[in-house]
Amino acid sequence: MASSIFSRNYLTVVFPPNGEQWRKMRKVLKSEILSPARHKWMHDKRTEEADNLVKYVYHQSLNGSVDIRSATRHYAANVIRKMVFNKRHFGQATHDGSPTAAEEEHVAAIFLSLKYVYSFCISDYYPFLEGLDLDGHEKYVKEAYKMTNKYHDPIIDERIRQWQQDDGHKEPQDLLDVMISLKDSNGRTLLSSEEIKAQTAELMLAAMDNPSNAIEWAMGEMINQPELLKKAVEELDRVVGRERLVQESDLPQLNFVKACAREAFRLHPIAPFTPPHVAMSDAVVAGYFIPKGSHVILSRMGLGRNPDVREEPLKFKPERHLASGAEVVLTEQNLRFISFSTGRRGCVAATLGSCMTVMLLARLLQGFEWSAPGGAEKVDLRESVEDLFMATPLAARAVPRLPVHLYQAAV
């Protein structure tokens, strides 16, 4: 999951990130939006989008090449839209599960915002420069946020109106309903419309980048090492078989598939550094004295690719995560690399992010045989000069490997 929307000064157009509001929203997220009970409640919506992924890739495969970047990003977008709005589509649905033009625009706006959430901004360190937009970022973020609001706000405003008309007598159907229906200890509405809109944008930003980036890289690395593809598929055939699609209940038994996703997080983080955190008091961490007020930034690449602690740190080796013999998880509490962070300010949606990531990879591997496109021997795994995404969006040849009725049954 991505960093908080509140980590950028120019995103305070949402609402000011004071400590009281941060604590309030984090409490709402942990106890009401992303709680274990709510995660279970949302199971069917996630499964529906995993089915739609299979349908979409199946239709793409009939044309020869599959745009894996598009498939992974829109899967992540579909899941969070379905959980928040109870709908995948903005506009008319497509017959083959592919994204509409509106959904393409929505995802592009989200990723543009994310690009600048992670980027260096001089006004973060010299607040008196705020508003001058010396980096040129504010213009692009405002445009992206305006585009996001174009799709979110009408849905949110209409839903709030419906709840007010029904006087609270309806049952929540999605996370937006949950946010609208929350009450404080005095029975008053807990979240304002501005806070609901801000939290909705936060959920969208947080859900799309990590799963889609990790699995695009994992697929590229595994296509270049066919023995890894073979081992992962053999595990899927052993645990799940070929007569049904992999389900969330199967994921605990898919240790090698999870190890591949975990290795992608280690080797190919979404950004070089974490967003800055500020030390609220003097502290000593790992023997280093950190004065109060210091900005603390962790190097994701430095942790994950450290040659002093990792053998062949630049090689994609999922086996390194299987050494303990325990069940593989994607979270990393000891910060040997960063997947969902840790601690009091760590990602509150690690369970959702892990589930989305592994299900995405498992469905792609189970449903199709993969190879480099156009007769090429290898996939180009160069990093972009602007970020840590692949320099060229991953495209690959996919051949369906399951009974046809499983693709036709996908909604």
Side-chain angles (χ1 to χ4, degrees):
M1 294 297 190
S3 59
S4 171
I5 193 172
F6 310 132
S7 61
R8 272 286 176 253
N9 289 329
Y10 45 71
L11 287 179
T12 56
V13 292
V14 182
F15 61 82
N18 61 53
E20 182 180 350
Q21 283 174 316
W22 184 89
R23 287 187 291 271
K24 172 184 176 181
M25 297 309 296
R26 188 171 179 85
K27 181 179 179 181
V28 167
L29 276 174
K30 291 186 69 173
S31 62
E32 302 291 346
I33 306 299
L34 298 170
S35 67
R38 201 68 73 188
H39 181 80
K40 184 177 180 180
W41 183 56
M42 288 281 140
H43 171 272
D44 291 351
K45 297 184 190 301
R46 294 192 301 274
T47 299
E48 184 176 333
E49 295 315 316
D51 292 346
N52 186 70
L53 168 73
V54 173
K55 176 181 179 180
Y56 171 54
V57 175
Y58 176 74
H59 283 279
Q60 289 285 302
S61 72
L62 301 180
N63 298 321
S65 181
V66 175
D67 185 338
I68 294 180
R69 176 171 296 181
S70 176
T72 58
R73 289 187 176 185
H74 285 285
Y75 161 79
N78 289 347
V79 169
I80 197 62
R81 279 197 295 259
K82 195 63 178 283
M83 292 176 63
V84 174
F85 298 132
N86 201 25
K87 60 190 295 184
R88 169 192 318 135
H89 307 288
F90 293 130
Q92 186 66 36
T94 56
H95 75 283
D96 60 356
S98 61
T100 65
E103 288 146 22
E104 295 272 10
E105 190 173 59
H106 181 247
V107 169
I110 293 293
F111 273 89
L112 181 60
S113 296
L114 285 165
K115 176 179 179 179
Y116 293 106
V117 164
Y118 288 120
S119 64
F120 175 81
C121 182
I122 189 67
S123 59
D124 284 350
Y125 300 92
Y126 299 98
F128 64 89
L129 297 175
E130 187 177 340
L132 298 178
D133 196 21
L134 297 178
D135 305 282
H137 298 174
E138 186 172 351
K139 173 185 176 182
Y140 294 111
V141 170
K142 285 184 174 179
E143 288 176 358
Y145 202 70
K146 181 179 179 181
M147 186 64 65
T148 305
N149 289 345
K150 181 178 80 169
Y151 293 109
H152 292 187
D153 287 2
I155 299 173
I156 296 170
D157 291 338
E158 174 60 20
R159 194 77 65 82
I160 291 174
R161 186 188 66 79
Q162 291 174 358
W163 272 84
Q164 290 171 341
Q165 287 182 342
D166 291 341
D167 196 26
H169 293 303
K170 61 184 295 186
E171 288 294 322
Q173 300 298 313
D174 52 36
L175 297 182
L176 177 56
D177 283 345
V178 172
M179 288 187 278
I180 295 171
S181 64
L182 292 175
K183 304 293 183 182
D184 64 16
S185 58
N186 297 314
R188 296 189 294 262
T189 299
L190 180 63
L191 301 180
S192 68
S193 62
E194 289 78 14
E195 288 172 324
I196 291 170
K197 290 173 181 178
Q199 195 57 71
T200 298
E202 167 82 351
L203 288 168
M204 295 290 166
L205 283 165
M208 293 189 194
D209 59 347
N210 246 356
S212 60
N213 179 67
I215 300 312
E216 182 182 6
W217 275 110
M219 290 297 296
E221 294 277 9
M222 295 171 77
I223 289 170
N224 282 1
Q225 298 184 63
E227 68 278 8
L228 299 182
L229 276 177
K230 180 181 178 182
K231 189 171 181 178
V233 170
E234 286 176 348
E235 180 181 68
L236 282 157
D237 285 347
R238 182 175 66 255
V239 172
V240 182
R242 298 194 186 192
E243 297 304 317
R244 65 178 178 88
L245 294 173
V246 59
Q247 303 296 321
E248 288 185 7
S249 59
D250 299 311
L251 302 187
Q253 302 177 68
L254 299 176
N255 257 12
F256 188 76
V257 173
K258 289 185 289 184
C260 292
R262 182 178 165 91
E263 180 71 345
F265 280 134
R266 179 198 70 82
L267 183 56
H268 300 292
I270 189 64
F273 300 98
T274 61
H277 289 70
V278 177
M280 303 303 291
S281 61
D282 291 347
V284 177
V285 178
Y288 294 94
F289 174 68
I290 302 175
K292 178 181 178 180
S294 299
H295 283 213
V296 180
I297 303 174
L298 294 178
S299 170
R300 295 172 183 257
M301 296 171 67
L303 288 171
R305 303 178 183 182
N306 189 343
D308 293 333
V309 297
R310 300 190 186 278
E311 180 183 345
E312 298 183 282
L314 299 183
K315 184 174 181 180
F316 188 84
K317 292 177 62 175
E319 294 84 357
R320 71 175 85 237
H321 304 291
L322 300 169
S324 69
E327 180 183 343
V328 174
V329 295
L330 301 195
T331 53
E332 178 46 62
Q333 300 300 322
N334 297 320
L335 288 184
R336 290 173 293 186
F337 65 93
I338 295 177
S339 54
F340 300 103
S341 193
T342 189
R344 189 167 63 90
R345 298 204 176 198
C347 178
V348 297
T351 298
L352 173 61
S354 296
C355 182
M356 289 173 59
T357 302
V358 181
M359 179 60 88
L360 172 56
L361 180 58
R363 284 290 180 100
L364 291 176
L365 294 175
Q366 184 199 26
F368 306 91
E369 296 176 359
W370 295 94
S371 58
E377 292 186 3
K378 297 284 186 179
V379 169
D380 182 359
L381 295 180
R382 288 177 299 169
E383 292 176 350
S384 169
V385 296
E386 295 184 350
D387 48 48
L388 296 183
F389 296 135
M390 281 191 182
T392 303
L394 179 60
R397 182 173 179 267
V399 177
R401 62 182 298 273
L402 301 177
V404 174
H405 73 270
L406 293 180
Y407 306 102
Q408 295 172 339
V411 295

